[in-house]
């Protein structure tokens, strides 16, 4: 039972992460490869706040959102100056730089040794979440709230503006819209989503080190997003289900870990290639073309 | 001391140049952001390892087998994945994502067969040569010699055969290229074979010195990407300039900072170029309107 | 609103072939409330000139004046807000948006386009959206009649329309805004003769009823003759001829070098 709940917690965290990626990749049509960097920033900032201050979750989540959001301004700046591949490459660079800092700035992040003994989340300053049951419930609540925010944004005129930018940014500018500001906000939201996922992860696992926030993790998130589908919430949920459940299924079949781990990755890779052929927008995604 | 760092840097840079050429061949002609090159790099390394350490072939023969096999896999990636996607006129993002898929598949096939533990090609202690204050290891000498020969061969190929021009023409306009009577598929075959060869040469030369693990590909490829940007996207020769520059700068930074900062510094340089001189050292601004 | 170009110059540097001077001092005072056509061969910089006016190209020399004020510091979207509307060459609509959404994107009303607004002002968003819908329906009624098929297609993706129809809606969309100057880049290219007449009618209506200033790039000389009051001939990076349309198009130099007759 606890094992099952553990999977639920991971699933909730991944849904939030993938929704974050979906904000930029799916809604605004900008391919970023640095989601894990924001995830990591959220986890480390969240850890420091949890360890230093006795604050309720909502306050910490807000601070984490704002700080990761501020980091996203670097990506926004890149998106103003660079297009397509160059922009994606810059986000890859950002990912590498953040990882290097997390790994090397030992005084603050303890580098490769990681930080352990991270305190649990407190709700309303009263209850400390202990054990997997409350975490499963709590992360589910946060996940639902995030899905709600995503859907509301998608349906709002802001969502429409992002879709318009995805189709033809030049035309949108000529129609009097500040597209840079709109994109900056999308990056900010995307980073904030990832940051909150990082905070949940850190306080649940109670130990973090930089290896959870690598370029591979970013690629993994993008894989999950594209397998599930871009542009809407159900695609992100499907993507998270796929990548979280598949390894468990393989374990269920009884494959040894040395085989199951690479096999799982090969299946992800194959799924990704096949989906690019059959439905480039992902299983449940929305048509990306003009 | 300084000279030692400069030479080390240039030799490393030469290896970046080779990989950058492998990437740029595909990127400049097909616009595919060929991240799968990182997978090919790993595949080449492990074939080299198998040939030499398991089947006990001589080093040169092993390297030749690795290069030939990688060329084949490279072509296979194009024929099975990229080419059909190009036919459907898929977007740049779609080919990039599928490249990530191919990369994942290749790397994990290697993990499946060889496991995650690092491997070395030869366990024996390698000899070193001393030139005055300069000390070069035997692998470094090979890297310098074969690297230079490969680069020279490439430059000659681009300049003295019609292929250089044809690659450029293909990248400009595929439809026009077909109408002019050239065979796109044939040209792409040449591109991917050559690309595979350069990726494999770079890989073999590098892993002969430092060994391998299945996750090394992406880290080295991003250095090559940085080299390509620094040199100037769109021009093949610029990869060489960019690679040497990057290797040199990294080496000089290593004099000051621990090696774990290297990637961060590389990307800082890359970002500076992206923002302030996106056309690279050798590039020029074009009319884009 | 008055649009004036003063000594516009634009140079591309290309280290291989040296500098290329595309525009070498373009001067043009566009008459208010009239239609002015810019004609000239391919690659003479007509669209580039439009890109300079709408702010897509910023490294030009010279001045673009709106009502006597230099608009150099204004980015594209602010120029659009100030009243410069633009119709681009090629496809017009955002294909992944519905017709109605395309119309709404052209409105000056940006209520709800900030991500925070759905959470603090969803009621107000609803009212504004309703107003925009009404306005869009009004415009389509007025331009195409109340029995037009577009009214029933409002919730369909714009990509469902043919190219010519997209250009029509693309022009209709400009009415959602409050533009005072329209830059129309080849409004009739790739459009069949029936629509060409409709487009001409719409443009005429805009000028007569809303006193708009129109600047238009066109290769269709019949269209230019029937519509434009003034005509500017762009060649060698300069306005070589400017005056009444008939006069410019009948000029021997223009005939020889551009019209080829």
């Amino acid at each position: 039972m606890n094992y099952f709940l553990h999977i639920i917690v991971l699933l909730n965290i991944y849904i939030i992460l993938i929704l974050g990626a979906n904000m930029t990749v799916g809604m605004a049509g900008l391919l970023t490869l640095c989601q894990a960097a924001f995830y990591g920033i959220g986890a480390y900032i969240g850890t420091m706040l949890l360890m230093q201050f006795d604050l309720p979750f909502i306050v910490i989540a807000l601070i984490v959102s704002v700080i990761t959001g501020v980091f996203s301004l670097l990506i926004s700046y890149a998106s103003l100056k660079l297009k397509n591949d160059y922009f994606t490459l810059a986000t890859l660079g950002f990912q590498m730089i953040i990882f290097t800092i997390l790994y090397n700035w030992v005084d603050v992040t303890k580098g490769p040794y990681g930080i352990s003994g991270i305190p649990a989340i407190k709700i309303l300053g009263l209850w400390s979440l202990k054990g997997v049951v409350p975490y499963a419930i709590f992360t589910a609540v946060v996940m639902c709230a995030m899905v709600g925010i995503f859907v509301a944004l998608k349906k709002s005129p802001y969502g429409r503006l992002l879709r318009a930018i995805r189709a033809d940014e030049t035309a949108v500018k000529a129609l009097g819209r500040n597209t840079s500001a709109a994109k900056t906000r999308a990056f900010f939201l995307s980073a904030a989503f990832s940051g909150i996922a990082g905070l949940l992860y850190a306080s649940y696992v109670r130990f973090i080190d930089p290896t959870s926030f690598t370029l591979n993790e970013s690629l993994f998130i993008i894989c999950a997003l594209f397998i599930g589908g871009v542009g809407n919430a159900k695609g992100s949920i499907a993507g998270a289900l796929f990548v979280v459940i598949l390894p468990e299924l393989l374990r269920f079949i009884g494959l040894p870990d040395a085989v199951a781990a690479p096999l799982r990755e090969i299946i992800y890779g194959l799924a990704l290639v096949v989906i690019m052929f059959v439905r480039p927008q992902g299983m449940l995604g929305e048509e990306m073309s003009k | 001391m300084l000279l030692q760092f400069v030479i080390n840097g240039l030799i490393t840079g030469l290896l970046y140049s080779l990989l950058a050429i492998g990437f740029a061949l595909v990127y400049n002609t097909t616009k595919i952001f060929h991240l799968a090159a990182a997978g090919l790099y790993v595949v080449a390394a492990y074939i080299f390892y198998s040939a030499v350490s398991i089947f006990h072939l001589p080093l040169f023969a092993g390297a030749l087998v690795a290069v030939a096999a990688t060329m084949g896999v490279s072509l296979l990636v194009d024929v099975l994945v990229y080419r059909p996607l190009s036919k459907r006129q898929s977007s740049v993002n779609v080919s990039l994502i599928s490249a990530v898929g191919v990369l994942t598949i290749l790397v994990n096939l290697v993990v499946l067969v060889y496991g995650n533990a690092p491997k070395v090609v030869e366990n024996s202690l390698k000899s070193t040569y001393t030139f005055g204050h300069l000390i070069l290891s035997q692998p470094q000498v090979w890297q310098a010699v074969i690297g230079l020969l490969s680069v020279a061969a490439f430059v000659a190929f681009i300049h003295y055969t019609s292929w250089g021009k044809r690659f450029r023409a293909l990248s400009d306009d595929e439809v026009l290229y077909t109408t002019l009577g050239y065979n796109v598929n044939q040209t792409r075959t040449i591109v991917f074979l050559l690309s595979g060869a350069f990726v494999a040469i770079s890989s073999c030369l590098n892993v002969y010195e430092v060994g391998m693990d299945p996750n090394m590909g992406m880290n080295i490829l991003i250095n090559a990407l940085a080299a390509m940007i620094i040199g100037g996207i769109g021009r093949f020769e610029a990869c060489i300039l960019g690679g040497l520059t990057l290797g040199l700068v990294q080496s000089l930074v290593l004099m000051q900072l621990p090696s774990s900062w290297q990637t961060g510094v590389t990307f800082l340089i890359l970002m500076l170029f992206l923002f302030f001189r996106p056309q690279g050292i050798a590039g020029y601004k074009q009319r884009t309107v | 609103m008055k649009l004036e170009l003063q000594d516009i110059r634009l140079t591309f540097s290309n280290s291989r072939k040296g500098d290329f001077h595309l525009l070498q001092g373009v001067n043009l005072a566009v008459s208010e409330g009239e239609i002015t056509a810019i004609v000239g061969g391919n690659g003479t910089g007509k669209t580039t000139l439009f890109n300079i006016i709408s702010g897509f190209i910023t490294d030009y020399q010279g001045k673009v004046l709106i009502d006597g004020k230099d608009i150099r510091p204004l980015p594209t979207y602010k120029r659009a807000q100030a009243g410069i509307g633009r119709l681009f060459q090629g496809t017009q609509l955002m294909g992944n948006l519905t017709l109605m959404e395309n119309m709404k994107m052209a409105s000056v009303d940006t209520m709800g386009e900030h991500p925070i607004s759905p959470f603090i002002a969803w009621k107000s968003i609803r009212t504004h959206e309703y107003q925009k819908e009404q306005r869009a329906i009004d415009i389509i009624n007025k331009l195409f009649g109340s029995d037009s098929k577009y009214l029933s297609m409002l919730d369909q993706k714009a990509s469902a329309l043919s190219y010519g129809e997209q250009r029509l809606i693309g022009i209709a969309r400009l009415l959602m805004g409050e533009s005072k100057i329209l830059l129309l880049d080849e409004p009739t290219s790739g459009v069949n003769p029936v629509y060409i007449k409709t487009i001409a009618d719409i443009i005429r209506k805009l000028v007569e009823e809303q006193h708009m200033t129109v600047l238009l790039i066109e290769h269709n000389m019949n269209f230019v003759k029937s519509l434009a009051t003034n005509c500017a001939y762009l060649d060698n990076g300069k306005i070589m001829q400017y005056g009444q349309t008939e006069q410019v198009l009948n000029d021997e130099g223009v005939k020889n070098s551009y019209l080829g007759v």
Side-chain angles (χ1 to χ4, degrees):
Chain A
M1 188 62 191
N2 273 0
Y3 175 69
F4 176 72
L5 289 174
H6 169 73
I7 302 296
I8 296 286
V9 174
L10 285 186
L11 187 63
N12 291 333
I13 291 174
Y14 268 100
I15 291 175
I16 298 171
L17 257 182
I18 298 168
L19 279 176
N22 207 346
M23 279 304 301
T24 50
V25 182
M27 294 236 270
L30 297 153
L31 187 56
T32 58
L33 296 178
C34 59
Q35 224 59 37
F38 293 122
Y39 183 38
I41 294 170
Y44 274 88
I45 302 284
T47 299
M48 283 160 203
L49 291 170
L50 284 168
M51 293 180 98
Q52 299 284 329
F53 307 101
D54 197 23
L55 290 170
F57 173 74
I58 187 82
V59 179
I60 293 185
L62 277 175
I63 300 175
V64 166
S65 306
V66 171
I67 295 180
T68 45
V70 168
F71 274 97
S72 82
L73 296 179
L74 292 168
I75 297 300
S76 304
Y77 179 69
S79 81
L80 300 186
K81 305 215 39 164
L82 307 167
K83 297 278 166 269
N84 301 331
D85 301 347
Y86 284 70
F87 168 69
T88 302
L89 196 59
T91 64
L92 195 150
F94 177 75
Q95 166 70 49
M96 301 308 292
I97 291 171
I98 294 294
F99 177 80
T100 315
I101 293 172
L102 292 181
Y103 197 88
N104 287 289
W105 198 10
V106 180
D107 293 346
V108 176
T109 65
K110 299 214 178 128
Y113 314 109
I115 304 177
S116 54
I118 301 169
I121 286 172
K122 281 187 181 160
I123 314 172
L124 304 168
L126 295 172
W127 302 327
S128 194
L129 295 181
K130 286 258 156 61
V132 69
V133 180
Y135 261 99
I137 299 171
F138 183 69
T139 52
V141 171
V142 178
M143 182 274 285
C144 289
M146 298 311 243
V147 170
I149 292 174
F150 185 89
V151 172
L153 285 171
K154 180 180 147 48
K155 288 192 172 158
S156 75
Y158 177 65
R160 180 175 68 215
L161 176 61
L162 288 185
R163 272 184 298 135
I165 291 174
R166 193 171 83 193
D168 189 347
E169 184 174 355
T170 313
V172 178
K173 273 186 194 164
L175 291 171
R177 263 49 172 191
N178 186 348
T179 56
S180 312
K183 287 195 286 183
T184 301
R185 288 163 194 153
F187 289 126
F188 196 101
L189 286 164
S190 167
F193 270 56
S194 312
I196 287 176
L199 165 64
L200 289 175
Y201 173 80
S203 73
Y204 171 64
V205 179
R206 319 194 71 174
F207 169 80
I208 49 170
D209 71 356
T211 57
S212 304
F213 314 109
T214 56
L215 174 62
N216 278 338
E217 183 70 15
S218 279
L219 292 177
F220 180 69
I221 294 166
I222 293 293
C223 277
L225 170 64
F226 272 89
I227 290 173
V230 290
N232 56 24
K234 62 183 179 204
S236 299
I237 297 171
L241 275 169
F242 186 84
V243 296
V244 174
I245 304 289
L246 181 72
E248 306 311 322
L249 279 181
L250 290 180
R251 197 171 302 173
F252 189 73
I253 300 170
L255 291 174
D257 246 17
V259 178
L263 188 63
R264 166 188 90 202
E265 301 282 325
I266 291 171
I267 294 175
Y268 293 154
L270 270 176
L272 206 53
V273 174
V274 168
I275 275 181
M276 286 303 111
F277 274 90
V278 188
R279 265 180 82 82
Q281 69 273 37
M283 286 191 293
L284 304 176
E286 297 190 351
E287 197 107 22
M288 290 285 275
S289 60
K290 288 189 179 179
Chain B
M1 184 65 177
L2 181 66
L3 181 68
Q4 181 73 50
F5 274 95
V6 168
I7 296 294
N8 286 351
L10 287 178
I11 292 177
T12 314
L14 203 54
L15 298 184
Y16 293 152
S17 305
L18 291 173
L19 184 55
I21 288 172
F23 183 90
L25 272 167
V26 173
Y27 183 67
N28 290 356
T29 51
T30 63
K31 303 274 184 282
I32 295 168
F33 206 74
H34 185 39
L35 288 182
L40 295 171
Y41 190 91
V42 176
V43 168
Y46 278 84
I47 295 175
F48 184 41
Y49 161 79
S50 307
V52 174
S53 299
I54 300 177
F55 296 104
H56 305 292
L57 290 180
L59 269 177
F60 260 109
L64 276 180
V65 169
V67 170
T70 312
M71 288 165 81
V73 180
S74 169
L75 184 59
L76 212 59
V77 169
D78 184 42
V79 171
L80 293 181
V81 182
Y82 293 158
R83 223 176 270 186
L85 283 175
S86 295
K87 288 237 165 65
R88 292 156 183 246
Q89 309 201 307
S90 301
S91 71
V92 180
N93 276 0
V94 166
S95 53
L96 201 164
I97 299 287
S98 65
V100 172
V102 174
L103 165 68
T104 316
I105 295 171
L106 290 177
V107 169
N108 286 287
L109 281 175
V110 168
V111 177
L112 203 58
V113 178
Y114 299 92
N116 262 315
K119 301 257 191 283
V120 288
V121 180
E122 264 186 349
N123 254 331
S124 59
L125 205 61
K126 279 143 196 157
S127 46
T128 54
Y129 307 94
T130 316
F131 309 92
H133 292 294
L134 196 64
I135 304 166
L136 289 181
S137 68
Q138 180 222 354
Q140 274 188 309
V141 174
W142 282 122
Q143 288 169 353
V145 173
I146 298 180
L148 279 175
L149 284 176
S150 312
V151 164
F154 178 73
V155 172
F157 176 79
I158 289 295
H159 278 280
Y160 299 113
T161 71
S162 67
W163 288 103
K165 266 186 203 131
R166 289 171 69 171
F167 289 167
R168 215 164 291 148
L170 179 61
S171 71
D172 279 347
D173 191 337
E174 190 173 304
V175 180
L176 184 66
Y177 192 76
T178 322
T179 8
L180 286 175
Y182 294 120
N183 183 339
V184 172
N185 282 344
Q186 184 204 26
T187 313
R188 279 182 80 129
T189 303
I190 304 276
V191 164
F192 277 87
L193 286 176
L194 263 186
S195 159
F198 277 93
V199 171
I201 294 171
S202 173
S203 174
C204 294
L205 288 176
N206 186 35
V207 299
Y208 177 56
E209 184 190 5
V210 299
M212 65 196 84
D213 73 79
N215 297 308
M216 66 179 174
M218 203 56 201
N219 265 326
I220 298 174
L221 181 68
I222 43 193
N223 280 297
L225 290 181
M228 187 181 79
I229 302 265
I230 292 170
I233 276 187
R235 303 180 71 182
F236 294 111
E237 302 90 331
C239 292
I240 303 162
L241 181 63
L244 295 178
T245 312
L246 182 65
L248 192 60
V249 173
Q250 280 182 346
S251 174
L252 295 181
V253 167
L254 279 188
M255 289 175 73
Q256 310 293 332
L257 281 175
S259 65
S260 51
W261 283 101
Q262 186 176 319
T263 326
V265 172
T266 305
F267 274 88
L268 208 59
I269 301 169
L270 173 65
M271 299 287 235
L272 290 176
F273 265 92
L274 279 175
F275 287 127
F276 299 109
R277 201 174 159 81
Q279 69 270 38
I281 300 174
Y284 47 85
K285 209 175 169 185
Q286 287 167 316
R287 180 177 175 183
T288 48
V289 188
Chain C
M1 218 158 77
K2 197 166 154 53
L3 170 66
E4 216 177 324
L5 306 178
Q6 282 183 358
D7 199 30
I8 302 287
R9 289 165 190 275
L10 185 71
T11 299
F12 294 94
S13 31
N14 181 329
S15 64
R16 262 197 205 158
K17 294 167 195 153
D19 289 354
F20 171 57
H21 305 280
L22 182 63
L23 299 175
Q24 306 176 18
V26 172
N27 290 293
L28 185 66
V30 182
S31 321
E32 266 185 283
E34 286 184 359
I35 302 172
T36 304
I38 299 182
V39 299
N42 292 320
T44 46
K46 302 186 296 296
T47 299
T48 305
L49 206 52
F50 272 17
N51 283 336
I52 287 172
I53 301 172
S54 21
F56 287 112
I57 295 175
T58 48
D59 55 350
Y60 63 92
Q61 291 168 300
K63 283 178 180 169
V64 179
L65 304 172
I66 295 279
D67 289 335
K69 239 180 79 183
D70 191 354
I71 59 169
R72 181 179 284 277
L74 299 186
T76 300
Y77 75 96
K78 283 201 175 151
R79 295 182 188 204
Q81 288 168 356
I84 301 180
R86 171 94 186 251
L87 179 80
F88 290 91
Q89 245 173 322
T91 311
Q92 292 314 305
L93 300 183
M94 294 160 250
N96 60 347
L97 268 61
T98 65
L99 274 192
M100 179 53 94
E101 286 177 323
N102 265 284
M103 296 294 281
K104 284 179 179 171
M105 279 311 304
S107 166
V108 281
D109 177 5
T110 59
M111 176 68 209
E113 290 181 6
H114 191 288
I116 200 75
S117 44
F119 306 103
I120 57 172
W122 63 273
K123 265 193 172 160
S124 157
I125 290 181
R126 231 197 235 167
T127 340
H128 282 252
E129 288 289 294
Y130 179 74
Q131 287 164 355
K132 284 184 233 178
E133 276 162 34
Q134 289 310 310
R135 176 143 189 203
I137 292 171
D138 280 351
I139 289 171
I140 290 181
N141 266 327
K142 215 169 114 193
L143 293 181
F144 308 112
S146 55
D147 54 348
S148 113
K149 68 166 178 176
Y150 301 123
L151 283 176
S152 58
M153 289 180 75
L154 285 173
D155 289 327
Q156 289 194 24
K157 291 266 162 81
S159 50
L161 293 181
S162 75
Y163 175 79
E165 290 176 312
Q166 291 204 31
R167 301 232 9 124
L168 270 189
I169 302 289
I171 294 175
R173 187 171 68 173
L174 290 173
L175 300 184
M176 287 292 288
E178 279 164 9
S179 302
K180 295 172 193 94
I181 297 174
L182 291 183
L183 307 176
L184 307 178
D185 198 343
E186 301 193 22
T188 70
S189 75
V191 174
N192 74 35
V194 185
Y195 292 136
I196 291 185
K197 197 183 160 301
T198 320
I199 290 175
D201 288 344
I202 297 176
I203 298 175
R204 224 175 263 126
K205 245 188 223 172
L206 288 172
V207 174
E208 282 163 14
E209 292 174 13
Q210 307 190 24
H211 200 67
M212 274 201 204
T213 305
V214 174
L215 195 58
L216 148 107
I217 294 175
E218 216 12 279
H219 287 297
N220 177 344
M221 285 307 131
N222 291 327
F223 187 79
V224 170
K225 275 182 196 157
S226 74
L227 206 62
T229 328
N230 306 306
C231 188
Y233 175 60
L234 184 66
D235 197 15
N236 296 326
K238 284 185 175 170
I239 304 281
M240 303 300 277
Q241 288 285 334
Y242 176 76
Q244 300 219 306
T245 307
E246 280 296 316
Q247 213 180 321
V248 172
L249 293 184
N250 285 327
D251 181 89
E252 287 303 318
V254 176
K255 271 186 176 172
N256 286 334
S257 58
Y258 171 54
L259 300 173
V261 285

